[in-house]
């Protein structure tokens, strides 16, 4: 049985080429990308512990993410973008500033000859699209809800036992199940963790006037504040604050919180009329230095979970996906062989390290209120805005036009 929920009434032993642990953004994208790249000839299992519906799945909750132009190009190559685009809001301009200081820089799509710098999508919308596409692909089997109870590897295959006792055999197991990855834990691949000592407060904000596709990254005394354009005259807010400020941010009534947000951000978007439910997430850099092991690969947040300061998380993860797909395609007879995984590790290491260094560096630079640091970062922002040689590296990573 393929493309449907698998139950305990099915045969206990099942043969696949690839087994993917995790069916949210990274896992679902990878399954669909592999299916498209192999023309539906690869047998793929997706094991997901949560009920795979947009309403119940925490991986497809009320949050929004920004997709860079490079990410859109990858999704288009896998015939996924056409299904997602109706739910996407284009970003026409990105404004980066340090509140109360002169430093700022602008990126504008029109000046670059582009229709959009990127797009914003709501995870709940993408979840519905992906759920439908997964069910339509006959070579993809969903084991959901199900959890991986144990993993055993031999020279030629990997065997995964599910909690309901089904055994999946495959050539390659891929962890796409987040920073607390069950597979990684069972195989003893522990992450390095750096606590940013910040919490992200996330909510949707309704405006009194059109946002015109503008996105903002503003560094405030409370922490970085990002506002991304959404449908229906809304902005997706991510406000990173210290843990000791969290109670004030979440316990305030909507009117008081909106007044604080308005005062901190200003009036570039006009009056902010309403705010939705506020949710908080602790911010830590979680990084696994090796993204492969014997017949095992790690992608997305399972490989690295970043600070949201520059919106690089999923965009970095989809480059993991694209590179892994390219390497396993070179070895269609054994998609989990050492050569494929070694090449994947070698190609992904520079991008992962540079992106993590950039995002972590921005956090520390713009969270420092020491006066020389404030002066230095504002001079840096002004220099980036006026000197193309400095602006190009920022533009390259923002657009996702990064070498893999």
């Amino acid at each position: 049985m393929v493309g449907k929920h698998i139950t305990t009434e099915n045969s206990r032993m099942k043969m696949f080429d690839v087994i993917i642990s995790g069916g949210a953004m990274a896992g679902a994208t990878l399954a669909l990308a592999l299916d498209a790249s192999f023309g539906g000839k690869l047998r793929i299992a997706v094991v997901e512990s949560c009920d795979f519906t947009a309403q119940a799945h925490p991986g497809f909750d009320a949050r929004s993410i920004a997709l860079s132009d490079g990410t859109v190009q990858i999704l288009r190559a896998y015939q996924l973008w056409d299904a997602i685009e109706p739910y996407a809001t284009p970003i026409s301009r990105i404004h980066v500033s340090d509140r109360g200081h002169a430093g700022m820089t602008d990126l504008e799509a029109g000046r670059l000859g582009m229709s959009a710098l990127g797009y914003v999508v709501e995870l709940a919308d993408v979840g519905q699209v992906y759920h439908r596409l997964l069910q339509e692909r006959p070579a993809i089997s969903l084991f959901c809800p199900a959890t991986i109870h144990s993993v055993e590897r031999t020279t030629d295959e990997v065997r995964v036992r599910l909690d309901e006792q089904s055994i999946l055999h495959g050539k390659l197991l891929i962890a796409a199940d987040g920073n607390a990855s069950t597979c990684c834990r069972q195989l003893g691949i522990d992450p390095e963790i750096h606590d940013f000592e910040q919490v992200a407060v996330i909510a949707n904000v309704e405006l009194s006037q059109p946002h015109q596709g503008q996105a903002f990254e503003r560094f405030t005394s409370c922490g970085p504040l990002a506002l991304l354009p959404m449908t229906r005259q809304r902005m997706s807010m991510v406000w990173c604050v210290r843990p000791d400020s969290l109670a004030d941010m979440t316990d305030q009534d909507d009117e008081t919180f909106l007044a604080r947000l308005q005062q901190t951000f200003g009036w570039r978007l006009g009056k902010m009329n309403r705010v939705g439910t506020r949710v908080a997430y602790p911010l830590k850099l979680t990084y696994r230095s090796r993204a492969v092991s014997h017949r095992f690969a790690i992608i997305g947040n399972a490989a690295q979970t970043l600070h949201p300061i520059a919106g690089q998380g999923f965009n970095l993860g989809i480059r993991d996906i694209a590179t892994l797909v390219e390497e396993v395609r070179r070895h269609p007879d054994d998609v989990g062989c050492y050569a494929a995984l070694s090449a994947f590790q070698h190609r992904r290491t520079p991008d992962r390290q540079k992106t993590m260094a950039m995002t972590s560096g921005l956090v520390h630079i713009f969270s420092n209120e020491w006066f020389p640091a404030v002066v230095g970062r504002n001079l840096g922002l002004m220099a980036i805005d006026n000197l193309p040689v400095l602006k190009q590296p920022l533009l390259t990573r923002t657009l996702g036009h990064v070498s893999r």
Side-chain angles (χ1 to χ4, degrees):
M1 183 181 294
V2 293
K4 297 181 180 180
H5 294 270
I6 307 298
T7 65
T8 55
E9 284 74 30
N10 297 105
S11 172
R12 294 293 183 187
M13 186 176 296
K14 305 174 191 301
M15 307 300 296
F16 296 95
D17 297 298
V18 175
I19 303 167
I20 301 172
S21 175
M25 281 294 293
T29 303
L30 175 61
L32 293 166
L34 285 169
D35 186 66
S37 297
F38 281 82
K41 296 179 181 179
L42 202 69
R43 297 164 299 173
I44 303 166
V46 178
V47 182
E48 174 52 52
S49 61
C50 299
D51 186 13
F52 206 96
T53 65
Q55 290 75 25
H57 198 300
F60 294 117
D61 57 18
R63 291 172 295 169
S64 297
I65 58 172
L67 308 179
S68 69
D69 182 68
T71 291
V72 171
Q73 291 180 23
I74 292 172
L75 292 171
R76 186 174 282 120
Y78 298 135
Q79 294 89 51
L80 296 175
W81 179 242
D82 285 348
I84 295 172
E85 187 175 14
Y87 305 97
T89 302
I91 300 173
S92 61
R93 174 175 178 254
I94 301 174
H95 180 81
V96 183
S97 63
D98 196 1
R99 183 181 181 274
H101 304 284
M104 66 177 64
T105 188
D106 269 307
L107 303 175
E108 295 189 30
R111 291 184 181 181
L112 299 170
M114 303 174 67
S115 58
L117 298 171
Y119 295 82
V120 179
V121 295
E122 295 181 63
L123 292 178
D125 291 333
V126 179
Q128 291 178 335
V129 170
Y130 275 177
H131 191 205
R132 172 175 56 81
L133 292 177
L134 288 170
Q135 290 183 313
E136 291 174 355
R137 305 289 178 94
I140 300 176
S141 298
L142 293 178
F143 292 77
C144 174
T147 57
I148 293 177
H149 183 266
S150 63
V151 177
E152 179 184 354
R153 293 176 291 179
T154 65
T155 302
D156 299 322
E157 70 171 14
V158 58
R159 300 168 189 163
V160 172
R161 182 182 295 274
L162 305 185
D163 56 343
E164 38 84 345
Q165 299 305 307
S166 288
I167 300 175
L168 313 184
H169 292 243
K171 295 294 185 181
L172 174 62
L173 172 63
I174 303 169
D177 48 354
N179 58 7
S181 170
T182 299
C183 289
C184 291
R185 186 171 64 251
Q186 290 182 354
L187 294 177
I189 303 175
D190 298 323
E192 301 173 32
I193 300 175
H194 171 71
D195 193 340
F196 290 113
E197 297 182 347
Q198 290 184 345
V199 179
V201 179
I202 299 173
N204 296 334
V205 179
E206 183 184 278
L207 306 176
S208 61
Q209 63 186 42
H211 51 60
Q212 298 179 325
Q214 298 180 93
F216 295 85
E217 183 89 53
R218 177 157 293 187
F219 301 100
T220 78
S221 59
C222 303
L225 169 63
L227 289 168
L228 302 175
M230 300 171 66
T231 58
R232 303 193 300 277
Q233 218 160 283
R234 296 173 300 151
M235 303 291 283
S236 172
M237 182 206 77
V238 181
W239 196 347
C240 304
V241 301
R242 292 188 59 81
D244 55 15
S245 302
L246 180 60
D248 288 342
M249 303 286 282
T250 55
D251 294 346
Q252 290 173 337
D253 60 55
D254 289 355
E255 184 177 351
T256 303
F257 178 82
L258 273 177
R260 180 176 181 176
L261 176 62
Q262 189 87 66
Q263 181 183 26
T264 302
F265 178 77
W267 296 85
R268 283 180 176 267
L269 291 169
K271 181 176 173 54
M272 298 176 180
N273 286 340
R274 294 176 57 193
V275 62
T277 302
R278 282 160 272 161
V279 181
Y281 297 89
L283 297 177
K284 299 178 182 181
L285 171 64
T286 304
Y287 171 59
R288 290 179 169 90
S289 56
R290 282 198 60 80
V292 300
S293 181
H294 177 63
R295 297 205 172 272
F296 182 63
I298 313 169
I299 65 162
N301 282 349
Q304 66 273 316
T305 303
L306 309 182
H307 192 287
I309 191 168
Q312 291 294 308
F314 179 70
N315 298 297
L316 179 61
I318 201 166
R319 296 198 292 273
D320 292 345
I321 290 168
T323 304
L324 182 59
V325 170
E326 289 171 359
E327 291 304 329
V328 299
R329 280 189 65 188
R330 300 177 195 273
H331 304 274
D333 294 332
D334 187 359
V335 293
C337 68
Y338 172 81
L341 298 182
S342 178
F344 168 70
Q345 170 78 21
H346 178 73
R347 290 179 59 187
R348 292 305 301 140
T349 298
D351 183 21
R352 295 177 69 208
Q353 291 180 340
K354 289 178 183 178
T355 305
M356 286 188 295
M358 181 198 74
T359 55
S360 298
L362 285 173
V363 174
H364 294 300
I365 290 171
F366 285 96
S367 297
N368 193 335
E369 291 303 309
W370 185 46
F371 181 71
V374 174
V375 173
R377 72 191 183 213
N378 277 270
L379 290 174
L381 282 173
M382 287 187 283
I384 288 171
D385 200 45
N386 290 283
L387 299 175
V389 68
L390 296 178
K391 196 168 192 173
Q392 189 58 47
L394 172 65
L395 183 62
T396 297
R397 204 150 288 275
T398 299
L399 295 178
H401 297 165
V402 180
S403 174
R404 293 189 284 105

